[in-house]
Coordinates of all heavy atoms in Angstrom, one line a residue:
M207 N 14.3 -10.4 -18.6 CA 15.4 -10.8 -17.8 C 15.3 -10.0 -16.5 O 15.2 -8.7 -16.4 CB 16.7 -10.3 -18.4 CG 17.3 -11.6 -19.0 SD 19.1 -11.3 -19.3 CE 19.0 -10.0 -20.5
E208 N 15.3 -10.7 -15.4 CA 15.2 -10.0 -14.1 C 16.6 -9.9 -13.3 O 17.3 -11.0 -13.2 CB 14.1 -10.7 -13.2 CG 12.8 -10.5 -13.8 CD 11.7 -11.1 -13.0 OE1 11.9 -12.0 -12.3 OE2 10.6 -10.5 -13.1
K209 N 16.9 -8.7 -12.9 CA 18.2 -8.5 -12.4 C 18.1 -7.6 -11.2 O 17.0 -7.1 -10.9 CB 19.1 -7.9 -13.5 CG 19.3 -8.8 -14.6 CD 20.9 -8.7 -15.0 CE 21.2 -9.5 -16.2 NZ 21.2 -8.8 -17.4
T210 N 19.3 -7.3 -10.6 CA 19.3 -6.2 -9.6 C 19.8 -5.0 -10.1 O 20.7 -5.0 -11.0 CB 20.4 -6.7 -8.5 OG1 20.1 -8.0 -8.1 CG2 20.3 -5.7 -7.3
C211 N 19.1 -3.9 -9.8 CA 19.5 -2.6 -10.3 C 20.8 -2.1 -9.7 O 21.0 -2.2 -8.4 CB 18.4 -1.6 -10.1 SG 18.8 0.1 -10.5
D212 N 21.7 -1.7 -10.5 CA 23.0 -1.1 -10.0 C 22.9 0.1 -9.0 O 23.7 0.3 -8.2 CB 24.0 -0.8 -11.1 CG 24.6 -2.0 -11.7 OD1 24.6 -3.2 -11.0 OD2 25.0 -2.0 -12.8
L213 N 21.8 0.8 -9.2 CA 21.7 2.1 -8.5 C 20.8 2.0 -7.2 O 21.3 2.4 -6.2 CB 21.1 3.1 -9.4 CG 21.3 4.6 -9.0 CD1 22.8 4.9 -8.9 CD2 20.6 5.5 -10.1
C214 N 19.6 1.4 -7.4 CA 18.7 1.3 -6.3 C 18.8 0.0 -5.5 O 18.3 -0.3 -4.4 CB 17.3 1.7 -6.6 SG 16.5 0.5 -7.8
H215 N 19.5 -1.0 -6.2 CA 19.7 -2.3 -5.7 C 18.4 -3.1 -5.4 O 18.4 -4.1 -4.6 CB 20.6 -2.4 -4.4 CG 21.9 -1.7 -4.7 ND1 22.8 -2.2 -5.6 CD2 22.5 -0.7 -4.1 CE1 23.8 -1.4 -5.6 NE2 23.7 -0.5 -4.7
R216 N 17.3 -2.7 -6.1 CA 16.1 -3.5 -5.9 C 16.2 -4.8 -6.7 O 16.9 -4.7 -7.8 CB 14.8 -2.7 -6.4 CG 14.6 -1.6 -5.4 CD 13.3 -0.9 -5.8 NE 13.4 -0.3 -7.2 CZ 12.4 -0.2 -8.0 NH1 11.2 -0.4 -7.6 NH2 12.5 0.3 -9.2
Y217 N 15.5 -5.8 -6.3 CA 15.5 -7.1 -7.1 C 14.1 -7.7 -6.9 O 13.6 -7.6 -5.8 CB 16.5 -8.0 -6.5 CG 16.5 -9.3 -7.2 CD1 17.2 -9.5 -8.4 CD2 15.7 -10.4 -6.6 CE1 17.1 -10.8 -9.0 CE2 15.7 -11.6 -7.2 CZ 16.3 -11.8 -8.5 OH 16.3 -12.9 -9.1
P218 N 13.5 -8.2 -7.9 CA 14.0 -8.3 -9.3 C 13.4 -7.1 -10.1 O 12.2 -6.8 -9.9 CB 13.4 -9.6 -9.8 CG 12.1 -9.8 -9.0 CD 12.3 -9.0 -7.6
V219 N 14.2 -6.6 -10.9 CA 13.7 -5.6 -11.8 C 14.2 -5.8 -13.2 O 15.2 -6.6 -13.4 CB 14.3 -4.1 -11.3 CG1 13.6 -3.6 -10.2 CG2 15.8 -4.2 -11.2
K220 N 13.6 -5.2 -14.1 CA 14.0 -5.3 -15.5 C 15.1 -4.3 -15.7 O 14.9 -3.1 -15.3 CB 12.9 -5.0 -16.5 CG 12.0 -6.2 -16.6 CD 11.4 -6.2 -18.0 CE 10.6 -7.5 -18.3 NZ 9.4 -7.6 -17.5
T221 N 16.2 -4.5 -16.2 CA 17.3 -3.6 -16.3 C 17.6 -3.2 -17.7 O 17.4 -4.1 -18.6 CB 18.6 -4.1 -15.6 OG1 19.0 -5.3 -16.2 CG2 18.4 -4.2 -14.1
T222 N 18.1 -1.9 -17.9 CA 18.5 -1.6 -19.2 C 19.9 -1.0 -19.1 O 20.2 -0.5 -18.0 CB 17.6 -0.4 -19.8 OG1 17.4 0.6 -18.9 CG2 16.2 -1.0 -20.2
E223 N 20.7 -1.1 -20.1 CA 22.1 -0.7 -20.1 C 22.2 0.9 -20.1 O 21.7 1.5 -21.0 CB 22.8 -1.4 -21.2 CG 24.3 -1.4 -21.0 CD 24.9 -2.2 -22.1 OE1 24.5 -2.2 -23.2 OE2 26.0 -2.8 -21.8
H224 N 22.9 1.4 -19.2 CA 23.3 2.8 -19.2 C 24.6 3.1 -19.4 O 25.5 2.5 -18.7 CB 22.7 3.3 -17.8 CG 23.3 4.8 -17.6 ND1 22.8 5.9 -18.3 CD2 24.2 5.4 -16.8 CE1 23.4 7.0 -18.0 NE2 24.2 6.6 -17.1
H225 N 25.0 3.8 -20.3 CA 26.4 4.1 -20.7 C 26.8 5.3 -19.7 O 26.3 6.3 -19.7 CB 26.6 4.6 -22.1 CG 26.5 3.5 -23.0 ND1 27.7 2.8 -23.5 CD2 25.5 2.7 -23.6 CE1 27.3 1.9 -24.4 NE2 26.1 1.8 -24.4
L226 N 27.7 4.9 -18.8 CA 28.1 5.9 -17.8 C 28.6 7.2 -18.4 O 28.5 8.3 -18.0 CB 29.1 5.3 -16.8 CG 28.4 4.2 -15.9 CD1 29.5 3.4 -15.2 CD2 27.6 4.8 -14.8
I227 N 29.5 7.0 -19.5 CA 29.8 8.1 -20.4 C 28.9 8.0 -21.6 O 29.0 7.0 -22.3 CB 31.3 8.1 -20.6 CG1 32.1 8.3 -19.4 CG2 31.6 9.2 -21.6 CD1 33.6 8.0 -19.5
P228 N 28.0 9.0 -21.9 CA 27.1 8.9 -22.9 C 27.9 8.6 -24.2 O 29.0 9.2 -24.5 CB 26.4 10.2 -22.9 CG 26.5 10.7 -21.6 CD 27.8 10.2 -21.0
K229 N 27.2 7.9 -25.1 CA 27.8 7.5 -26.4 C 28.4 8.7 -27.2 O 29.5 8.7 -27.8 CB 26.9 6.7 -27.2 CG 26.7 5.3 -26.6 CD 25.8 4.5 -27.6 CE 24.6 4.1 -26.7 NZ 23.6 3.5 -27.6
Q230 N 27.6 9.8 -27.2 CA 28.0 10.9 -28.0 C 29.2 11.6 -27.4 O 29.8 12.5 -28.1 CB 26.8 11.9 -28.1 CG 26.5 12.6 -26.8 CD 25.2 13.5 -27.0 OE1 24.2 13.2 -26.4 NE2 25.4 14.6 -27.6
F231 N 29.6 11.2 -26.2 CA 30.8 11.8 -25.6 C 31.9 10.7 -25.6 O 32.8 10.7 -24.7 CB 30.6 12.4 -24.2 CG 29.8 13.6 -24.2 CD1 28.5 13.6 -24.2 CD2 30.4 14.8 -24.3 CE1 27.6 14.7 -24.2 CE2 29.7 16.0 -24.4 CZ 28.2 15.9 -24.3
G232 N 31.8 9.7 -26.4 CA 32.9 8.8 -26.5 C 32.8 7.5 -25.6 O 33.8 6.9 -25.5
G233 N 31.7 7.3 -25.0 CA 31.4 6.3 -24.1 C 31.1 4.9 -24.7 O 30.6 4.0 -24.0
V234 N 31.1 4.9 -26.1 CA 30.6 3.6 -26.7 C 31.3 2.5 -26.2 O 30.6 1.3 -25.8 CB 30.8 3.7 -28.3 CG1 30.3 2.4 -29.0 CG2 30.1 4.9 -28.7
E235 N 32.5 2.5 -25.9 CA 33.3 1.3 -25.4 C 33.4 1.4 -23.9 O 34.1 0.6 -23.3 CB 34.8 1.3 -26.0 CG 34.7 1.4 -27.5 CD 34.8 0.0 -28.2 OE1 35.8 -0.7 -27.9 OE2 33.8 -0.3 -28.9
G236 N 32.8 2.4 -23.3 CA 33.1 2.7 -21.9 C 32.3 1.8 -21.0 O 31.5 1.0 -21.5
P237 N 32.5 2.1 -19.7 CA 31.6 1.2 -18.7 C 30.2 1.5 -18.8 O 29.7 2.5 -19.0 CB 32.3 1.6 -17.4 CG 32.8 3.0 -17.6 CD 33.2 3.1 -19.1
T238 N 29.4 0.5 -18.5 CA 28.0 0.6 -18.4 C 27.4 0.1 -17.1 O 28.1 -0.5 -16.3 CB 27.3 -0.2 -19.5 OG1 27.7 -1.5 -19.4 CG2 27.7 0.3 -21.0
A239 N 26.3 0.5 -16.8 CA 25.7 0.0 -15.5 C 24.3 -0.5 -16.0 O 23.7 -0.1 -16.9 CB 25.5 1.2 -14.5
M240 N 23.8 -1.5 -15.2 CA 22.5 -2.0 -15.5 C 21.5 -1.3 -14.5 O 21.5 -1.6 -13.3 CB 22.5 -3.5 -15.3 CG 23.4 -4.3 -16.4 SD 23.2 -3.8 -18.1 CE 21.6 -4.5 -18.4
L241 N 20.5 -0.6 -15.1 CA 19.7 0.1 -14.3 C 18.2 -0.2 -14.6 O 17.8 -0.6 -15.7 CB 19.8 1.7 -14.6 CG 21.2 2.3 -14.4 CD1 21.1 3.7 -14.8 CD2 21.7 2.1 -13.0
C242 N 17.4 -0.2 -13.5 CA 15.9 -0.4 -13.7 C 15.4 0.8 -14.4 O 16.0 1.9 -14.5 CB 15.2 -0.6 -12.4 SG 15.1 0.8 -11.3
T243 N 14.2 0.6 -15.1 CA 13.7 1.6 -15.9 C 13.5 2.9 -15.0 O 13.8 4.0 -15.6 CB 12.3 1.2 -16.4 OG1 12.0 -0.2 -16.1 CG2 12.2 1.4 -17.8
A244 N 13.0 2.8 -13.8 CA 12.8 4.1 -13.0 C 14.0 4.8 -12.8 O 14.1 6.0 -12.9 CB 12.1 3.7 -11.7
C245 N 15.2 4.1 -12.4 CA 16.4 4.8 -12.1 C 17.0 5.4 -13.5 O 17.4 6.5 -13.5 CB 17.5 3.8 -11.6 SG 17.2 3.4 -9.9
H246 N 16.8 4.6 -14.6 CA 17.4 5.1 -15.9 C 16.7 6.4 -16.2 O 17.2 7.3 -16.6 CB 17.2 4.0 -16.9 CG 18.3 4.1 -18.0 ND1 18.5 3.1 -18.8 CD2 19.2 5.0 -18.2 CE1 19.5 3.5 -19.6 NE2 19.8 4.7 -19.3
R247 N 15.3 6.4 -16.1 CA 14.6 7.5 -16.5 C 15.0 8.8 -15.6 O 15.1 9.9 -16.1 CB 13.1 7.2 -16.2 CG 12.4 7.1 -17.6 CD 10.9 6.9 -17.3 NE 10.5 7.0 -16.0 CZ 9.5 7.5 -15.5 NH1 8.7 8.2 -16.3 NH2 9.1 7.6 -14.2
Q248 N 15.0 8.5 -14.3 CA 15.4 9.5 -13.4 C 16.7 10.2 -13.7 O 16.9 11.4 -13.6 CB 15.5 8.9 -12.0 CG 15.9 9.8 -10.8 CD 14.7 10.9 -10.6 OE1 13.6 10.7 -10.9 NE2 15.1 12.0 -10.0
I249 N 17.7 9.4 -14.0 CA 19.0 9.9 -14.3 C 19.0 10.8 -15.5 O 19.5 11.9 -15.5 CB 20.1 8.8 -14.5 CG1 20.5 8.0 -13.3 CG2 21.3 9.3 -15.3 CD1 21.3 6.8 -13.5
H250 N 18.2 10.4 -16.5 CA 18.3 11.2 -17.8 C 17.5 12.4 -17.7 O 17.6 13.3 -18.4 CB 17.9 10.4 -18.9 CG 19.1 9.4 -19.4 ND1 20.2 9.9 -20.0 CD2 19.3 8.1 -19.3 CE1 21.1 8.9 -20.1 NE2 20.5 7.8 -19.8
A251 N 16.5 12.4 -16.6 CA 15.6 13.5 -16.5 C 16.4 14.6 -15.6 O 16.2 15.8 -15.8 CB 14.4 13.0 -15.7
L252 N 17.3 14.1 -14.9 CA 18.0 15.0 -13.9 C 19.3 15.6 -14.5 O 19.8 16.7 -14.3 CB 18.4 14.2 -12.7 CG 18.6 15.0 -11.3 CD1 17.4 15.8 -11.0 CD2 18.9 13.9 -10.2
F253 N 20.1 14.8 -15.3 CA 21.3 15.2 -15.9 C 21.2 15.3 -17.4 O 20.7 14.5 -18.0 CB 22.5 14.1 -15.4 CG 22.5 13.9 -13.9 CD1 22.0 12.8 -13.4 CD2 23.0 14.9 -13.1 CE1 22.1 12.5 -12.0 CE2 23.1 14.7 -11.7 CZ 22.6 13.5 -11.2
T254 N 22.1 16.2 -17.9 CA 22.2 16.2 -19.3 C 23.3 15.3 -19.6 O 24.1 15.0 -18.8 CB 22.6 17.6 -19.7 OG1 23.9 17.9 -19.1 CG2 21.6 18.7 -19.3
N255 N 23.5 14.9 -20.9 CA 24.6 14.1 -21.2 C 25.9 14.7 -21.0 O 26.8 14.0 -20.7 CB 24.4 13.7 -22.8 CG 23.4 12.6 -23.0 OD1 23.0 12.0 -22.0 ND2 23.1 12.3 -24.3
E256 N 26.0 16.0 -21.0 CA 27.2 16.7 -20.8 C 27.6 16.5 -19.4 O 28.8 16.3 -19.1 CB 27.0 18.1 -21.1 CG 28.4 18.8 -21.5 CD 28.1 20.2 -22.3 OE1 26.9 20.5 -22.4 OE2 29.1 20.6 -22.8
E257 N 26.6 16.6 -18.6 CA 26.9 16.5 -17.1 C 27.3 15.1 -16.7 O 28.2 14.8 -15.9 CB 25.6 16.9 -16.2 CG 25.4 18.4 -16.2 CD 24.0 18.7 -15.7 OE1 23.1 18.0 -15.8 OE2 23.9 19.8 -15.0
L258 N 26.6 14.2 -17.3 CA 27.0 12.6 -17.2 C 28.4 12.4 -17.5 O 29.2 11.8 -16.9 CB 26.0 11.8 -18.0 CG 24.6 11.8 -17.4 CD1 23.7 11.0 -18.5 CD2 24.5 11.1 -16.1
A259 N 28.8 13.0 -18.8 CA 30.1 12.7 -19.2 C 31.3 13.4 -18.4 O 32.3 12.8 -18.2 CB 30.2 13.2 -20.7
S260 N 30.8 14.6 -18.0 CA 32.0 15.4 -17.2 C 32.1 15.0 -15.7 O 33.2 15.1 -15.2 CB 31.7 16.9 -17.4 OG 30.5 17.2 -16.8
F261 N 31.0 14.6 -15.2 CA 31.2 14.3 -13.6 C 30.4 13.1 -13.2 O 31.0 12.2 -12.7 CB 30.8 15.6 -12.9 CG 30.9 15.3 -11.4 CD1 32.2 15.5 -10.9 CD2 29.9 15.0 -10.5 CE1 32.5 15.3 -9.6 CE2 30.3 14.8 -9.2 CZ 31.5 15.0 -8.6
Y262 N 29.2 12.9 -13.6 CA 28.3 11.8 -13.1 C 28.5 10.6 -13.9 O 27.5 9.9 -14.3 CB 26.8 12.3 -13.0 CG 26.7 13.4 -12.0 CD1 26.6 14.8 -12.4 CD2 26.6 13.1 -10.7 CE1 26.4 15.8 -11.5 CE2 26.5 14.1 -9.8 CZ 26.4 15.4 -10.2 OH 26.3 16.4 -9.2
H263 N 29.7 10.2 -14.0 CA 29.9 8.9 -14.8 C 30.3 7.8 -13.8 O 30.9 6.8 -14.3 CB 31.0 9.2 -15.9 CG 32.2 9.9 -15.3 ND1 33.1 9.3 -14.4 CD2 32.6 11.1 -15.5 CE1 34.0 10.2 -14.2 NE2 33.8 11.3 -14.9
S264 N 29.9 7.8 -12.6 CA 30.0 6.6 -11.8 C 28.8 6.5 -10.9 O 28.2 7.5 -10.6 CB 31.4 6.7 -10.9 OG 31.1 7.5 -9.8
I265 N 28.5 5.3 -10.6 CA 27.4 5.0 -9.7 C 27.4 5.8 -8.4 O 26.5 6.3 -7.9 CB 27.3 3.5 -9.5 CG1 26.8 2.7 -10.7 CG2 26.3 3.2 -8.2 CD1 25.4 3.0 -11.2
E266 N 28.6 5.9 -7.9 CA 28.8 6.5 -6.5 C 28.4 8.0 -6.6 O 27.8 8.5 -5.8 CB 30.3 6.5 -6.1 CG 30.6 5.0 -5.6 CD 30.8 4.0 -6.9 OE1 31.2 4.6 -7.9 OE2 30.6 2.9 -6.7
R267 N 28.9 8.7 -7.8 CA 28.6 10.1 -7.9 C 27.2 10.3 -8.1 O 26.6 11.4 -7.7 CB 29.5 10.7 -9.0 CG 30.9 10.7 -8.6 CD 31.8 11.3 -9.7 NE 33.2 11.5 -9.3 CZ 34.1 12.1 -9.9 NH1 33.8 12.5 -11.1 NH2 35.2 12.3 -9.4
L268 N 26.5 9.3 -8.8 CA 25.1 9.6 -9.1 C 24.4 9.4 -7.8 O 23.5 10.3 -7.5 CB 24.6 8.5 -10.1 CG 25.1 8.6 -11.6 CD1 24.8 7.3 -12.3 CD2 24.4 9.8 -12.3
Q269 N 24.8 8.4 -7.0 CA 24.1 8.2 -5.8 C 24.3 9.4 -4.8 O 23.6 9.6 -3.8 CB 24.6 6.8 -5.1 CG 24.0 5.6 -5.8 CD 24.7 4.4 -5.3 OE1 25.9 4.4 -4.9 NE2 24.0 3.3 -5.5
D270 N 25.3 10.1 -5.0 CA 25.6 11.2 -4.0 C 24.9 12.5 -4.3 O 25.0 13.4 -3.5 CB 27.2 11.4 -4.1 CG 27.7 11.7 -2.7 OD1 27.2 11.0 -1.8 OD2 28.6 12.5 -2.6
H271 N 24.3 12.6 -5.5 CA 23.6 13.8 -5.8 C 22.3 13.9 -4.9 O 21.6 13.0 -4.7 CB 23.2 13.7 -7.2 CG 22.8 15.0 -7.7 ND1 21.3 15.3 -7.5 CD2 23.2 16.1 -8.4 CE1 21.1 16.6 -8.0 NE2 22.2 17.0 -8.5
P272 N 22.1 15.0 -4.2 CA 21.1 15.2 -3.4 C 19.6 14.7 -3.9 O 18.9 14.2 -3.2 CB 21.0 16.6 -3.0 CG 22.3 17.3 -3.5 CD 23.0 16.3 -4.4
A273 N 19.4 15.1 -5.2 CA 18.0 14.7 -5.7 C 18.0 13.3 -5.9 O 17.0 12.7 -5.8 CB 17.8 15.5 -7.1
M274 N 19.2 12.6 -6.2 CA 19.2 11.2 -6.4 C 18.9 10.5 -5.1 O 18.3 9.5 -4.9 CB 20.5 10.7 -7.1 CG 20.6 11.1 -8.5 SD 19.2 10.4 -9.5 CE 19.5 8.7 -9.5
K275 N 19.6 11.0 -4.0 CA 19.4 10.5 -2.8 C 18.0 10.4 -2.3 O 17.5 9.4 -1.8 CB 20.3 11.3 -1.7 CG 21.6 10.9 -1.6 CD 22.2 11.6 -0.5 CE 23.8 11.5 -0.5 NZ 24.5 12.4 0.3
K276 N 17.3 11.5 -2.6 CA 15.9 11.6 -2.3 C 15.1 10.5 -3.1 O 14.3 9.9 -2.6 CB 15.4 13.0 -2.6 CG 14.3 13.5 -1.7 CD 14.0 15.0 -1.9 CE 12.6 15.2 -1.9 NZ 12.2 16.5 -2.5
Y277 N 15.4 10.6 -4.3 CA 14.8 9.6 -5.2 C 14.9 8.2 -4.8 O 14.1 7.4 -4.7 CB 15.3 9.8 -6.6 CG 15.0 8.5 -7.5 CD1 13.8 8.2 -8.1 CD2 16.1 7.7 -7.8 CE1 13.7 7.2 -8.9 CE2 16.0 6.5 -8.5 CZ 14.7 6.3 -9.1 OH 14.6 5.2 -9.8
L278 N 16.3 7.9 -4.4 CA 16.6 6.5 -4.0 C 15.9 6.1 -2.7 O 15.4 5.0 -2.6 CB 18.1 6.3 -3.9 CG 18.9 6.2 -5.2 CD1 20.4 6.4 -5.0 CD2 18.6 5.0 -5.9
R279 N 15.8 7.0 -1.8 CA 15.0 6.7 -0.5 C 13.6 6.4 -1.0 O 13.0 5.4 -0.3 CB 15.0 7.9 0.4 CG 16.1 7.8 1.4 CD 15.8 8.8 2.6 NE 15.5 10.1 2.3 CZ 16.4 11.1 2.1 NH1 17.7 10.8 2.2 NH2 16.0 12.3 1.8
W280 N 13.0 7.1 -1.8 CA 11.6 6.9 -2.2 C 11.6 5.6 -3.0 O 10.7 4.7 -2.7 CB 11.1 8.0 -3.1 CG 9.8 7.7 -3.7 CD1 8.6 7.8 -3.1 CD2 9.6 7.3 -5.0 NE1 7.6 7.4 -4.0 CE2 8.2 7.1 -5.2 CE3 10.4 7.0 -6.2 CZ2 7.6 6.7 -6.3 CZ3 9.7 6.6 -7.3 CH2 8.4 6.5 -7.4
V281 N 12.4 5.3 -4.0 CA 12.2 4.2 -4.8 C 12.4 2.8 -4.1 O 11.9 1.8 -4.4 CB 13.1 4.3 -6.1 CG1 14.5 3.8 -5.9 CG2 12.5 3.6 -7.3
K282 N 13.2 2.9 -3.1 CA 13.6 1.7 -2.3 C 12.4 1.2 -1.5 O 12.2 -0.1 -1.3 CB 14.7 1.9 -1.4 CG 16.1 1.7 -2.1 CD 17.2 2.1 -1.2 CE 18.5 2.1 -2.0 NZ 19.6 2.5 -1.2
K283 N 11.4 2.1 -1.4 CA 10.1 1.6 -0.7 C 9.1 1.1 -1.7 O 8.0 0.5 -1.3 CB 9.6 2.8 0.1 CG 10.3 3.1 1.4 CD 9.7 4.2 2.1 CE 10.5 5.6 1.7 NZ 9.9 6.7 2.4
Q284 N 9.4 1.2 -3.0 CA 8.4 0.9 -4.0 C 8.6 -0.6 -4.4 O 9.8 -1.2 -4.4 CB 8.6 1.6 -5.3 CG 8.6 3.1 -5.1 CD 7.4 3.7 -4.4 OE1 6.3 3.3 -4.7 NE2 7.6 4.4 -3.3
D285 N 7.5 -1.3 -4.5 CA 7.6 -2.7 -4.9 C 8.3 -3.0 -6.2 O 7.6 -2.4 -7.2 CB 6.2 -3.3 -4.8 CG 6.2 -4.8 -5.1 OD1 7.2 -5.3 -5.4 OD2 5.0 -5.3 -4.8
P286 N 9.3 -3.7 -6.3 CA 10.0 -3.9 -7.6 C 9.1 -4.6 -8.7 O 9.3 -4.4 -9.8 CB 11.3 -4.6 -7.3 CG 11.0 -5.2 -6.0 CD 10.1 -4.3 -5.2
E287 N 8.1 -5.3 -8.2 CA 7.3 -6.1 -9.0 C 6.3 -5.2 -9.7 O 5.7 -5.5 -10.7 CB 6.5 -7.1 -8.3 CG 7.4 -8.0 -7.5 CD 7.8 -9.3 -8.2 OE1 7.6 -9.3 -9.5 OE2 8.6 -10.2 -7.6
K288 N 6.0 -4.1 -9.0 CA 5.0 -3.2 -9.5 C 5.6 -2.2 -10.5 O 6.7 -1.6 -10.2 CB 4.4 -2.4 -8.3 CG 3.0 -2.7 -8.2 CD 2.4 -1.9 -7.1 CE 1.7 -2.8 -6.0 NZ 1.5 -2.0 -4.8
K289 N 4.9 -1.9 -11.5 CA 5.4 -0.9 -12.5 C 5.1 0.5 -11.9 O 4.0 0.8 -11.5 CB 4.6 -1.1 -13.8 CG 5.3 -2.0 -14.7 CD 5.5 -1.3 -16.1 CE 6.6 -2.0 -16.8 NZ 6.0 -2.9 -17.9
I290 N 6.1 1.3 -11.7 CA 5.9 2.6 -11.2 C 5.9 3.7 -12.3 O 5.8 4.8 -12.1 CB 6.8 3.0 -10.1 CG1 8.2 2.9 -10.5 CG2 6.6 2.2 -8.9 CD1 9.3 3.4 -9.5
T291 N 6.2 3.2 -13.5 CA 6.3 4.2 -14.6 C 5.0 4.5 -15.2 O 4.7 5.7 -15.3 CB 7.4 3.7 -15.7 OG1 7.0 2.3 -15.9 CG2 8.7 3.7 -15.1
T292 N 4.3 3.5 -15.7 CA 3.1 3.8 -16.4 C 2.0 3.0 -15.8 O 2.2 2.0 -15.0 CB 3.2 3.5 -17.9 OG1 3.5 2.1 -18.0 CG2 4.1 4.3 -18.6
R293 N 0.7 3.3 -16.2 CA -0.4 2.5 -15.6 C -0.8 1.5 -16.7 O -1.6 0.6 -16.5 CB -1.4 3.5 -15.3 CG -1.4 4.2 -13.9 CD -2.5 5.2 -13.7 NE -3.7 4.5 -13.9 CZ -4.4 3.9 -12.9 NH1 -3.9 4.0 -11.6 NH2 -5.7 3.4 -13.0
K294 N -0.3 1.7 -17.9 CA -0.7 0.7 -18.9 C 0.0 -0.6 -18.6 O 1.2 -0.7 -18.3 CB -0.1 1.2 -20.3 CG -1.1 1.9 -21.2 CD -0.5 2.2 -22.5 CE -0.3 3.6 -22.7 NZ 0.7 3.9 -23.7
S295 N -0.7 -1.6 -18.7 CA -0.2 -2.9 -18.5 C -0.1 -3.6 -19.9 O -1.0 -4.2 -20.3 CB -0.9 -3.8 -17.5 OG -2.1 -4.1 -17.9
N296 N 1.0 -3.4 -20.5 CA 1.2 -3.9 -21.9 C 2.3 -5.0 -21.9 O 3.3 -4.8 -22.4 CB 1.6 -2.7 -22.7 CG 1.2 -2.9 -24.1 OD1 0.6 -3.9 -24.5 ND2 1.3 -1.9 -25.0
R297 N 2.0 -6.0 -21.2 CA 3.1 -7.0 -20.9 C 3.3 -7.9 -22.1 O 2.5 -8.8 -22.2 CB 2.8 -7.9 -19.7 CG 2.9 -7.1 -18.5 CD 2.3 -7.9 -17.3 NE 2.7 -7.3 -16.1 CZ 3.6 -7.9 -15.3 NH1 4.1 -9.0 -15.5 NH2 3.8 -7.3 -14.1
K298 N 4.3 -7.7 -22.8 CA 4.5 -8.6 -23.9 C 5.7 -9.4 -23.6 O 6.8 -8.8 -23.1 CB 4.8 -7.8 -25.2 CG 3.5 -7.4 -25.9 CD 3.9 -6.8 -27.2 CE 2.7 -6.0 -27.7 NZ 3.0 -4.8 -28.5
K299 N 5.6 -10.7 -23.7 CA 6.8 -11.5 -23.4 C 7.6 -11.7 -24.7 O 7.1 -11.7 -25.8 CB 6.3 -12.9 -23.1 CG 6.1 -13.1 -21.6 CD 6.9 -14.3 -21.1 CE 7.1 -14.2 -19.6 NZ 6.6 -15.4 -19.0
R300 N 8.9 -11.5 -24.5 CA 9.8 -11.6 -25.7 C 10.5 -13.0 -25.7 O 11.0 -13.2 -24.6 CB 10.9 -10.5 -25.6 CG 10.4 -9.2 -25.7 CD 11.2 -8.5 -26.8 NE 11.4 -7.2 -26.4 CZ 12.1 -6.5 -27.3 NH1 12.7 -6.9 -28.5 NH2 12.3 -5.2 -27.1
Ligands
ZN86 ZN1 16.9 1.2 -9.9
ZN87 ZN1 21.2 5.8 -19.9

């Protein structure tokens, strides 16, 4: 499924659901964002679930973090069609 990423707004990208409040902190029913793999990985690399739950539970706050700003400036220049995560091309159609 090809969509627009809620964080970097690139299109078309494959998105995965991110729980703005991590499930272990009660976010099971909470709001979610659709993020491309690169953004999703970046967020979880940068923030602990505790930080996500306590402060970074909105797209605006995530975008406002200095490291995320830097990342977003970079990722927007990347071709959304190109995989920037791995070099393996293991394209399986589902
Ligand atoms: Zn993204
Ligand atoms: Zn997530």
Side-chain angles (χ1 to χ4, degrees):
M207 258 201 293
E208 291 185 332
K209 297 226 178 101
T210 308
C211 172
D212 283 340
L213 199 59
C214 66
H215 301 301
R216 288 184 306 152
Y217 176 87
V219 288
K220 282 210 172 72
T221 55
T222 50
E223 197 173 33
H224 169 67
H225 285 261
L226 289 166
I227 297 169
K229 286 183 242 174
Q230 66 183 107
F231 289 91
V234 182
E235 310 264 298
T238 57
M240 296 312 284
L241 305 177
C242 71
T243 356
C245 288
H246 207 166
R247 255 183 1 136
Q248 178 67 24
I249 287 175
H250 287 288
L252 206 58
F253 306 105
T254 63
N255 279 349
E256 208 162 3
E257 288 169 330
L258 291 171
S260 62
F261 188 76
Y262 292 100
H263 46 68
S264 80
I265 290 291
E266 290 73 28
R267 287 181 176 185
L268 289 167
Q269 284 171 335
D270 216 38
H271 187 280
M274 287 306 291
K275 278 189 185 161
K276 210 172 144 201
Y277 157 80
L278 286 167
R279 265 203 306 276
W280 171 79
V281 83
K282 280 175 185 172
K283 285 181 263 172
Q284 311 304 309
D285 184 349
E287 308 271 6
K288 244 184 238 161
K289 272 238 163 101
I290 55 174
T291 47
T292 59
R293 284 174 54 92
K294 259 188 254 162
S295 69
N296 210 351
R297 293 173 165 246
K298 271 186 204 146
K299 268 234 163 119
R300 294 231 218 183

